[in-house]
Amino acid sequence: MKNLIYITSVIFGFLYAQNELFIPETMSGNEFNLSLQNGTTQLFDGDATETMGANGGNLGPTLIFEQGEFVNINVANNIGEETTIHWHGMHISPENDGGPHSVIMPGETWNPNFTVMDKACTMWYHPHLHEKTNEHVTKGITGFIIIRDDEEAALDLPRTYGVDDFPLNLQTKQFDASNQIVIGEHGDNVPMVNSTIDAFVEFPAQVVRLRVLNGSSMRVFNLGFSNNSTFYQIGSDGGLFSEPISMDRLLLAPAERAELLVDLGDMTGESIELKSYGSTLPQSAYGITGLSTMQGVAPSGYNSNELNGNDFILLGINVGAQTDNPILTIPSLLVDVTPIDESEATLTRNLQITAPNMMQNSITGPFVFDGQSFDMNVINQTVQLGDTEIWEIFNMSMVAHPFHIHDVQFYILDRNGVIPPENERGRKDVVLVKNMETVRFIAKFEDHADDEVPYMYHCHMLQHEDEGLMGQFIVEGESVGIDNSITLPNDFVLFPAYPNPFNPTTTIRFKLVTSQQNASLRIYDISGRLVETLLNEKLIAGEHEIKWNGGNNPSGVYFISFETGEFFSNQKIILIK
Ligand code: C2O
Ligand code: CU
């Protein structure tokens, strides 16, 4: 694998290898081409490991998206079998979301395109084909998505990729005697960071930002540094906090992300380790000892897996020289966070996680929601567009499950009635629900609706997901945006106005494939009265952009109407004054 450097040294007679941490390349702009492919990676001495990746044989590039930008992505499937690609955590329409219904046939290319609406944060992409997610992810198709926005850009934070800002995809995997990846047997005893085993990295002696993802298919990490130093969490799955939160341990379940700051300012020449303190994981978390003996039959590999119940090293860190213009202090304030108030919810939805055969299936499952295993043809929930809902997840099974929902970022209201720890009060799309725990979260389902294509909710332990701990929901209503506004999809696209709701201006963008003799863009109010004519002229083919500042009009709902002789489209926007 390119960019991987192997340094081998003989220590005390053992062959001890330390490998420099692999840092994926970045891609940015508005056009992204990803080619999913098979490869081989030399992870051990001897046989190479069969892996999968995007634009390479293992892992995928880090995609850098700017909030408000329109991105067009081509995903070519060259792995020789069906798969999908899901943009985990992003607020995009069901069609572009890449769930199990958006199958990319081998040899075909899928072309999602959308406006990036999310706040600055760390997200990721991975396959989501039903019953194959675990295999495709574990073999290596995962990549980071870094979203940037103006609010984040104004802060004094490290943000030079690979210099003071590092993506860390933490995984544990199982390998067989010929170094091949084993799926679903609970013997995941090899820790890896960005697919590097026994990884080390050199960080500069200053404040360093870590974008940490738990990319494991099952394991929960309890992160900390070997010198027990304090570090600061500055953001959760979907955005930054209002201020840094200091800690010396961080629990991170599969698919959760955390942005961390660690101050290495006075540590030049020293070495520390990033570890998972598996000996102090909470009850029912995958990775404790004795999980399988509490009830039922032990799954084959779990009890003999030496990582379970133990502390282990993920990443060796050598502190090197300071860079130019280093960030040397932890900022005291970050961004405005406005949690959704419980009073805004119009509905509470209850979901129960059970194992149909409780006595036998303490870890391996299969598990189900509300007694029903996932069925591609069954819509389990219907949500009304624009509604704010509380989802209440009760876990009656013996193992903790990381619950994930597509489309939205949510705020956790409580765990068994108790307000969650400070670092769980920000924007989230995954929450670990422990054995006999009830977690309530609140979310608003806005912008995207589709009568046909559902969004998913599921456990992000990939074996559980593949075996049926997943459900799907439709968002019903008239979507503000691309999905129902395309009249002639091949000739004309009206992109979602952004921001929306807006104050003081929104940007309206559309694309014409052929020039139009006469095109108009008008704003109407909710009673159909013409408010303003923004365009009424000949328009050439290409992308057009126009801003509307709301004029002297009051707060409320307005409609953008685009019209030519051939087609018509409209879109709802909301002005807030
Ligand atoms: Cu990260 Cu539905 O997935
Ligand atoms: Cu689960």
Side-chain angles (χ1 to χ4, degrees):
M1 189 169 138
K2 64 175 194 285
N3 293 345
L4 259 187
I5 300 166
Y6 293 92
I7 296 174
T8 308
S9 55
V10 180
I11 299 173
F12 305 125
F14 293 101
L15 191 65
Y16 182 76
Q18 262 213 323
N19 306 306
E20 186 172 347
L21 177 71
F22 173 71
I23 311 279
E25 286 167 23
T26 60
M27 293 177 84
S28 54
N30 299 87
E31 288 285 327
F32 296 83
N33 293 313
L34 296 177
S35 160
L36 308 181
Q37 48 197 258
N38 297 312
T40 52
T41 307
Q42 198 69 48
L43 294 172
F44 302 94
D45 292 338
D47 293 338
T49 304
E50 288 179 18
T51 52
M52 289 179 171
N55 300 359
N58 192 7
L59 299 179
T62 297
L63 310 183
I64 299 183
F65 290 165
E66 299 278 341
Q67 188 192 49
E69 285 292 305
F70 183 74
V71 296
N72 186 47
I73 312 175
N74 291 301
V75 184
N77 177 4
N78 297 312
I79 63 169
E81 58 181 90
E82 295 178 7
T83 193
T84 83
I85 288 290
H86 167 58
W87 320 101
H88 178 121
M90 292 194 71
H91 179 51
I92 48 183
S93 69
E95 269 188 331
N96 288 307
D97 189 52
H101 295 271
S102 302
V103 176
I104 319 171
M105 300 302 287
E108 305 229 304
T109 297
W110 178 55
N111 174 224
N113 44 71
F114 48 84
T115 299
V116 177
M117 302 174 83
D118 299 279
K119 292 177 180 295
C121 67
T122 305
M123 294 197 177
W124 63 305
Y125 59 93
H126 63 75
H128 212 305
L129 186 72
H130 186 44
E131 298 178 330
K132 295 292 270 186
T133 300
N134 195 11
E135 180 182 335
H136 291 171
V137 172
T138 307
K139 284 196 169 165
I141 309 182
T142 60
F144 280 89
I145 299 172
I146 294 177
I147 299 179
R148 303 195 187 281
D149 68 11
D150 293 347
E151 228 184 346
E152 188 269 348
L155 298 169
D156 272 332
L157 288 174
R159 63 172 69 76
T160 310
Y161 185 87
V163 174
D164 60 7
D165 181 348
F166 296 87
L168 302 178
N169 178 1
L170 313 181
Q171 296 177 305
T172 55
K173 297 185 189 180
Q174 179 177 2
F175 295 86
D176 67 16
S178 51
N179 300 341
Q180 302 310 308
I181 291 169
V182 177
I183 308 294
E185 288 188 14
H186 307 278
D188 55 322
N189 60 355
V190 179
M192 306 174 93
V193 184
N194 299 344
S195 201
T196 314
I197 299 170
D198 290 328
F200 80 91
V201 66
E202 184 173 306
F203 285 161
Q206 60 204 55
V207 175
V208 169
R209 181 180 190 166
L210 306 178
R211 299 171 185 266
V212 186
L213 159 70
N214 182 342
S216 292
S217 51
M218 303 297 273
R219 183 171 302 277
V220 179
F221 294 115
N222 187 26
L223 302 174
F225 292 97
S226 51
N227 61 350
N228 286 316
S229 64
T230 298
F231 55 94
Y232 299 84
Q233 188 178 352
I234 58 167
S236 51
D237 304 332
L240 296 177
F241 296 150
S242 53
E243 54 192 56
I245 297 168
S246 69
M247 54 184 64
D248 57 19
R249 292 289 183 271
L250 170 68
L251 195 68
L252 203 69
E256 284 189 302
R257 287 88 66 211
E259 290 194 23
L260 306 180
L261 294 182
V262 38
D263 186 355
L264 304 172
D266 53 8
M267 290 183 59
T268 312
E270 292 177 43
S271 296
I272 52 170
E273 286 148 352
L274 174 67
K275 295 178 71 171
S276 179
Y277 291 85
S279 60
T280 47
L281 280 169
Q283 61 95 353
S284 74
Y286 187 103
I288 61 171
T289 44
L291 181 57
S292 55
T293 53
M294 288 192 297
Q295 191 172 11
V297 176
S300 45
Y302 192 89
N303 285 342
S304 54
N305 187 333
E306 64 274 22
L307 297 189
N308 295 334
N310 285 317
D311 303 342
F312 56 90
I313 298 169
L314 285 157
L315 178 67
I317 297 167
N318 303 324
V319 184
Q322 218 172 65
T323 65
D324 291 341
N325 306 312
I327 301 287
L328 294 171
T329 52
I330 306 289
S332 52
L333 287 178
L334 297 166
V335 302
D336 282 338
V337 180
T338 6
I340 308 171
D341 195 80
E342 198 173 330
S343 65
E344 288 173 46
T346 48
L347 185 125
T348 296
R349 240 171 249 277
N350 293 281
L351 298 180
Q352 284 192 3
I353 301 173
T354 57
N357 186 347
M358 289 287 252
M359 293 312 287
Q360 285 182 8
N361 305 307
S362 62
I363 307 174
T364 53
F367 300 97
V368 292
F369 286 115
D370 301 321
Q372 282 183 300
S373 189
F374 179 71
D375 182 336
M376 286 287 278
N377 300 310
V378 173
I379 299 298
N380 306 89
Q381 320 281 340
T382 302
V383 173
Q384 298 305 312
L385 182 69
D387 276 7
T388 298
E389 297 192 349
I390 294 170
W391 286 45
E392 184 173 311
I393 322 295
F394 176 43
N395 178 7
M396 291 179 67
S397 76
M398 298 308 292
V399 64
H401 302 274
F403 181 91
H404 169 54
I405 184 169
H406 292 205
D407 181 29
V408 294
Q409 289 292 321
F410 57 75
Y411 293 91
I412 302 172
L413 292 170
D414 41 45
R415 291 180 169 276
N416 280 342
V418 178
I419 184 165
E422 238 187 323
N423 70 326
E424 286 194 329
R425 297 181 201 164
R427 293 162 66 83
K428 293 282 296 163
D429 55 59
V430 180
V431 56
L432 186 66
V433 186
K434 294 190 274 295
N435 154 251
M436 294 313 280
E437 190 173 38
T438 297
V439 170
R440 293 193 317 143
F441 65 74
I442 189 165
K444 186 164 188 192
F445 297 81
E446 356 176 48
D447 305 310
H448 306 298
D450 194 312
D451 293 340
E452 307 273 307
V453 188
Y455 289 113
M456 302 294 131
Y457 56 87
H458 56 91
C459 173
H460 221 291
M461 287 162 89
L462 301 179
Q463 188 183 348
H464 298 175
E465 172 189 340
D466 279 344
E467 290 177 351
L469 189 49
M470 178 153 70
Q472 40 193 355
F473 67 102
I474 285 277
V475 180
E476 220 175 48
E478 197 184 322
S479 125
V480 182
I482 195 164
D483 296 333
N484 66 346
S485 63
I486 304 167
T487 315
L488 291 173
N490 296 323
D491 278 345
F492 167 66
V493 187
L494 180 60
F495 301 124
Y498 199 82
N500 186 19
F502 70 100
N503 171 17
T505 32
T506 190
T507 301
I508 302 161
R509 258 202 275 188
F510 57 95
K511 182 160 96 182
L512 287 169
V513 173
T514 50
S515 299
Q516 295 296 319
Q517 272 315 309
N518 190 4
S520 70
L521 188 69
R522 297 193 167 91
I523 308 285
Y524 292 89
D525 70 11
I526 196 150
S527 58
R529 187 181 64 89
L530 177 65
V531 169
E532 199 169 327
T533 300
L534 299 176
L535 280 176
N536 190 14
E537 60 201 59
K538 180 177 173 184
L539 285 183
I540 55 160
E543 279 204 27
H544 298 264
E545 182 178 297
I546 188 160
K547 291 190 191 301
W548 188 49
N549 66 5
N552 295 323
N553 298 288
S555 297
V557 172
Y558 294 87
F559 291 90
I560 305 164
S561 163
F562 184 87
E563 222 172 318
T564 70
E566 280 174 82
F567 40 85
F568 168 79
S569 176
N570 73 31
Q571 195 183 98
K572 187 169 84 175
I573 50 174
I574 299 169
L575 170 64
I576 300 173
K577 280 198 165 166

